[in-house]
Amino acid sequence: MCGIYGYIGNTTINNFVDKLSLLEYRGYDSCGIAYNYNNHIILIRTKGNTNNLKRIINNNTIQIGIGHTRWATHGKISPINAHPHTSRNNRFYCVHNGVIENYQELKDKYNIQTISESDSAIIPVILDFLINKYSIIDSLKILIKEFVGTYAIAIMDRYNPETLYFIKNKSPLLISKSDNNISISSDQISFNDGEKIIVLNDLDYGSISKKEIIINNYLSDNERVTFIKNESQLCKRNEAYYMLDEIYFEKKLPSIISEKYKRIHLDEYKMTITTSKELVFIGSGSSYYAASILAYEYEKKLNKRCFSLIASEVKNFNISNNSMFITLSQSGETMDLCDAIDYLKSKNQRIISICNIVHSTIGFKSDCVYPLSVGREISVASTKAFMAMLYVGRGLLDNSYFNNSIYISHSIKNALLLEPKIIEISKRISSSNFIFYVGSGIDYLYSLEASLKLREISYLHSLSIQTGELKHGSLALVDFNTYCIGILSSLDSKARLESSLSEVSSRGGKTIIISNVYNKADLFYEGDSLGLIVIIQLIAFHTARLLNRTIDQPRNLAKSVTVK
Ligand code: G6P
């Protein structure tokens, strides 16, 4: 995972770190920068996110620098394991996103001793070794030959203070150039709107400077995708938390998406889902739950086999030739999903993606991309993007759904009005030792997302289970400090839910019902079931807030998971 950023131009260190902070969604357990100042390279590394960096930097002007935000894979979270890494003679400084899988073998081969436990620490040391015999560019080519694994690497050379070097395989790396600046980054988010962006291919290596961009490829020279950056804006941070802004944004989402889809041709999608024998929806994390909900709804409507797969498990399933694969991703960068797509493509399958970031690795790999169009999501726990996946997926299935935007938006607003009651409920569950979410049919799928959302930001133990299944084992966990929250979007499931919940309360557990159809529920609103999503998100948010969690950046997680 991790974010890497390199810049050549004229900027202040503060501005440089601001750009780097935009990559924090890729990891925020530690970070670091290296920049050239008066022909000295200054290296600063710290635990924590870029706010910690800001406390220790000055605001000098710099012309060249590289930076990194880390999500630890090899080596504990510490300044020594943070990037940039350098070698003993401090010539090369490197930032790396990905994993050098054969780093132990390379350590033996080049007889490398590093203080850092990070796999990335070997990169500048090997470069130091190679530079005795080869040019920098040839050394980069040898690094590609040597490395097994995934990497986007930016390198600064003390002896060439106007140039940055790079190599790339599997981890995303993009270059952007304007009249006065040139930058390299894991994500277009750190570039300015209107800049021309070059998307590097796997096994590319080369250099960037104000004078020229040199890009070579280790194997072939396929053309590179370019585009002009024109991204929709982030949620404006009105609240102390992006997550709360992003939840409140959901009431606007139906009209924004419906407007957008008026201008998109949907006939091809319709034909594909009608003619395919079966539809397979694929995603990771919350996107997998969105995939499961859509599979459930598509199967009901189309009367054909539709199911969902966890991206990292795709290779364990037989691929049938008449299937259509629909992938879902907020970031467009999740490595598990990228791998699944590569695997399916190697079996000559076509991929449709529903994705928030169209100009992304998953966007580029797919045969066809349908955008979510809800702007960047910043908080690690997915909210508006999850809701948008359901809205877009439903609209693609039945285009007339896009005409319902006023009604859906109204339902979401009704659910938001329950916030004071939700806070009261969050107060109760925040002292619980275990929270079950239960539901039947599609409500079970909602409950999976509800439980994930709660544990990822509150760190409370939570499990989701089918209403009728609770008594077959998991009821053993219930005691007076357990909460069981039932989700109910169809009165057909009411009797079963009530009997399950009464089994919980007979054993001292506390129960809560959330519903859009049962007006005696603890949390009831009128309208579409998408409002249920708002409620489960707000429960997670307020519980985490009451427990003083770092909501937008929960411990151990990252927004975009670009490792296997
Ligand atoms: C990470 C995030 C989750 C997200 C999942 C899939 O684990 O923390 O919130 O659901 O990745 O991400 P994607 O960008 O593919 O939707």
Side-chain angles (χ1 to χ4, degrees):
M1 234 124 74
C2 315
I4 70 171
Y5 177 59
Y7 171 84
I8 302 170
N10 202 41
T11 192
T12 61
I13 300 175
N14 257 327
N15 285 343
F16 177 77
V17 172
D18 278 344
K19 292 285 189 187
L20 179 65
S21 71
L22 296 171
L23 295 169
E24 250 168 21
Y25 73 92
R26 306 175 74 88
Y28 41 78
D29 56 42
S30 50
C31 55
I33 53 173
Y35 55 89
N36 189 312
Y37 188 68
N38 286 341
N39 289 328
H40 293 290
I41 307 249
I42 315 287
L43 172 68
I44 306 172
R45 298 182 291 188
T46 175
K47 272 167 86 164
N49 67 16
T50 50
N51 287 333
N52 288 0
L53 209 50
K54 282 200 167 158
R55 283 188 205 109
I56 46 182
I57 56 176
N58 59 39
N59 204 19
N60 286 332
T61 303
I62 55 164
Q63 279 73 46
I64 188 164
I66 53 174
H68 188 266
T69 62
R70 180 170 187 243
W71 186 83
T73 56
H74 292 65
K76 61 181 176 296
I77 299 159
S78 69
I80 292 286
N81 289 332
H83 303 215
H85 289 286
T86 185
S87 58
R88 219 168 274 166
N89 67 11
N90 293 333
R91 171 164 177 181
F92 294 108
Y93 290 76
C94 304
V95 284
H96 168 216
N97 163 216
V99 177
I100 309 292
E101 289 163 15
N102 60 337
Y103 81 105
Q104 283 295 2
E105 288 153 43
L106 292 172
K107 266 185 150 179
D108 296 342
K109 176 171 174 184
Y110 288 92
N111 193 19
I112 297 173
Q113 318 263 318
T114 57
I115 317 169
S116 168
E117 303 149 284
S118 163
D119 55 318
S120 320
I122 62 165
I123 303 166
V125 187
I126 299 182
L127 263 177
D128 265 348
F129 179 84
L130 295 174
I131 205 72
N132 293 324
K133 277 203 199 159
Y134 306 99
S135 68
I136 299 191
I137 293 290
D138 286 345
S139 303
L140 298 177
K141 192 172 180 186
I142 297 172
L143 286 187
I144 292 188
K145 188 166 150 245
E146 293 286 47
F147 288 166
V148 175
T150 56
Y151 46 85
I153 300 171
I155 301 158
M156 196 161 71
D157 174 12
R158 188 154 53 104
Y159 298 153
N160 288 294
E162 286 169 3
T163 308
L164 291 176
Y165 301 87
F166 61 83
I167 63 173
K168 178 243 184 295
N169 185 40
K170 303 264 184 193
S171 304
L173 194 58
L174 303 96
I175 295 172
S176 118
K177 186 164 168 34
S178 62
D179 290 345
N180 301 318
N181 312 306
I182 176 151
S183 9
I184 187 160
S185 178
S186 307
D187 187 327
Q188 55 171 308
I189 194 168
S190 36
F191 303 144
N192 299 321
D193 273 357
E195 285 182 354
K196 184 177 175 193
I197 298 183
I198 306 169
V199 182
L200 292 174
N201 291 337
D202 283 344
L203 306 186
D204 273 352
Y205 63 99
S207 64
I208 57 171
S209 67
K210 276 193 174 176
K211 269 191 247 135
E212 59 181 345
I213 297 176
I214 300 172
I215 308 175
N216 306 299
N217 190 276
Y218 187 77
L219 287 181
S220 56
D221 216 7
N222 293 333
E223 240 180 85
R224 285 154 197 97
V225 173
T226 59
F227 64 95
I228 303 293
K229 185 180 171 193
N230 180 17
E231 268 215 316
S232 45
Q233 291 305 300
L234 308 177
C235 265
K236 204 163 145 272
R237 197 170 182 165
N238 295 318
E239 307 286 344
Y241 305 94
Y242 276 113
M243 184 175 175
L244 198 56
D245 272 355
E246 287 164 355
I247 294 173
Y248 268 83
F249 176 87
E250 289 172 345
K251 61 185 176 199
K252 294 190 246 165
L253 164 163
S255 60
I256 293 172
I257 296 176
S258 295
E259 268 310 300
K260 173 94 183 179
Y261 274 81
K262 277 186 195 158
R263 300 190 300 274
I264 297 180
H265 288 289
L266 302 173
D267 298 347
E268 194 190 327
Y269 187 89
K270 194 169 222 156
M271 201 166 80
T272 308
I273 61 171
T274 322
T275 51
S276 307
K277 197 171 126 230
E278 59 179 24
L279 300 174
V280 187
F281 292 79
I282 308 172
S284 304
S286 292
S287 300
Y288 167 67
Y289 294 138
S292 307
I293 292 167
L294 291 180
Y296 183 96
E297 294 182 336
Y298 274 55
E299 182 157 298
K300 285 230 144 146
K301 174 106 185 172
L302 299 172
N303 214 8
K304 67 170 71 173
R305 190 166 136 81
C306 300
F307 59 98
S308 58
L309 290 179
I310 289 188
S312 57
E313 290 292 315
V314 164
K315 287 182 190 162
N316 295 330
F317 287 83
N318 289 335
I319 305 302
S320 134
N321 259 340
N322 282 325
S323 310
M324 186 66 220
F325 297 91
I326 302 173
T327 73
L328 291 116
S329 176
Q330 181 283 127
S331 63
E333 299 296 345
T334 304
M335 175 69 84
D336 289 337
L337 192 54
C338 291
D339 275 0
I341 294 176
D342 287 345
Y343 174 73
L344 293 169
K345 291 238 130 194
S346 73
K347 306 262 174 216
N348 298 321
Q349 302 296 325
R350 266 174 61 79
I351 309 290
I352 292 179
S353 287
I354 299 177
C355 188
N356 203 24
I357 313 290
V358 175
H359 291 121
S360 60
T361 307
I362 286 163
F364 296 133
K365 282 178 188 288
S366 306
D367 296 292
C368 185
V369 189
Y370 292 91
L372 297 182
S373 308
V374 289
R376 283 266 177 177
E377 192 174 64
I378 300 296
S379 189
V380 165
S382 188
T383 53
K384 63 173 182 172
F386 176 80
M387 168 92 77
M389 284 173 188
L390 301 186
Y391 191 80
V392 169
R394 285 178 178 185
L396 288 172
L397 172 62
D398 173 359
N399 301 162
S400 68
Y401 186 75
F402 287 133
N403 301 331
N404 286 346
S405 62
I406 295 176
Y407 169 70
I408 309 286
S409 177
H410 194 66
S411 310
I412 293 170
K413 284 181 194 157
N414 284 347
L416 286 168
L417 288 175
L418 293 174
E419 197 174 8
K421 277 192 177 180
I422 292 172
I423 295 173
E424 287 312 308
I425 285 180
S426 295
K427 278 184 192 156
R428 284 156 56 196
I429 65 172
S430 60
S431 58
S432 169
N433 57 359
F434 203 96
I435 299 115
F436 279 108
Y437 266 102
V438 296
S440 187
I442 197 163
D443 294 338
Y444 167 63
L445 305 175
Y446 291 142
S447 80
L448 286 166
E449 170 64 6
S451 184
L452 175 70
K453 202 91 311 173
L454 184 61
R455 38 178 205 273
E456 69 182 327
I457 60 168
S458 75
Y459 319 149
L460 292 178
H461 289 262
S462 174
L463 193 74
S464 158
I465 195 155
Q466 291 91 340
T467 313
E469 190 61 13
L470 188 62
K471 58 187 175 291
H472 295 296
S474 302
L475 201 57
L477 293 174
V478 170
D479 66 16
F480 67 93
N481 207 12
T482 310
Y483 270 84
C484 186
I485 306 178
I487 299 183
L488 187 68
S489 68
S490 157
L491 286 175
D492 294 345
S493 311
K494 180 173 157 282
R496 172 170 289 194
L497 179 65
E498 284 182 331
S499 74
S500 241
L501 294 186
S502 84
E503 287 154 17
V504 170
S505 44
S506 321
R507 286 155 182 88
K510 320 282 188 307
T511 65
I512 291 162
I513 299 182
I514 304 171
S515 179
N516 62 331
V517 289
Y518 175 43
N519 61 11
K520 294 203 177 78
D522 304 270
L523 291 169
F524 167 73
Y525 71 96
E526 274 175 26
D528 185 89
S529 61
L530 283 188
L532 296 170
I533 308 291
V534 176
I535 295 176
I536 58 168
Q537 292 170 347
L538 282 176
I539 290 179
F541 172 82
H542 283 294
T543 307
R545 195 176 54 83
L546 289 160
L547 291 167
N548 273 328
R549 308 301 192 213
T550 51
I551 295 181
D552 286 334
Q553 295 185 338
R555 71 179 183 203
N556 305 340
L557 302 182
K559 181 98 194 128
S560 174
V561 182
T562 55
V563 291
K564 285 186 197 178

